Amino acid sequence: MTARTLTGKCFCGAVQYAVADAFTYALNCHCSNCRRTTGSAFKPFAGITRIQFAVTSGRDNLLIHGEEKTHDAHCSVCGSLLYSVVRDGVYVHVAMGTLVDTPTIRPTAHIFVGSKAPWFAITDDLPQYREHVTD
Ligand SMILES: [Zn+2]
Ligand SMILES: [Zn+2]
């Protein structure tokens, strides 16, 4: 069975991507890096293997912050954080706010709540973890 394809783009539209609607996890990360790269209280992101993700337009407009196998990818025109390459280059964490289409998955937990912004209150009932999800 082939998953539906979702599209996403940055604020200005210079960078566009396609990703299978087959994310294996989705989380809200409250770490200071995610807060700063997005300018938000937390970053909802969804993880998928890198081969199920592709930049479809504006590859030349990517601003890569980091290394080949671990980096944040922004649009160099408008600055949007689109996705991060993580886990030794095997996974992509899509910044869910850049999706155009609605994914099937929903964030299932809050992570790095230990470094949450003190001015933000979590008001839902999702599990909270001090750092990464632990079983
Ligand atoms: Zn842009
Ligand atoms: Zn984070």
Side-chain angles (χ1 to χ4, degrees), residues 35-91:
R35 289 192 279 116
R36 293 206 164 78
T37 52
T38 59
S40 301
F42 60 89
K43 180 180 78 172
F45 70 90
I48 193 164
T49 56
R50 199 173 179 180
I51 54 171
Q52 292 177 281
F53 173 92
V55 173
T56 52
S57 169
R59 179 168 283 278
D60 292 346
N61 292 317
L62 282 177
L63 184 155
I64 303 296
H65 186 258
E67 312 301 322
E68 162 60 23
K69 288 186 169 181
T70 312
H71 63 249
D72 285 341
H74 298 256
C75 170
S76 64
V77 180
C78 70
S80 290
L81 171 65
L82 291 147
Y83 62 90
S84 304
V85 172
V86 296
R87 300 172 68 178
D88 205 29
V90 179
Y91 273 77

Side-chain angles (χ1 to χ4, degrees), residues 22-43:
F23 293 108
T24 49
Y25 51 89
L27 299 161
N28 294 327
C29 187
H30 293 259
C31 84
S32 60
N33 292 342
C34 287
R35 289 192 279 116
R36 293 206 164 78
T37 52
T38 59
S40 301
F42 60 89
K43 180 180 78 172

Side-chain angles (χ1 to χ4, degrees), residues 10-15 75 77-78:
C10 64
F11 174 56
C12 78
V15 179
C75 170
V77 180
C78 70

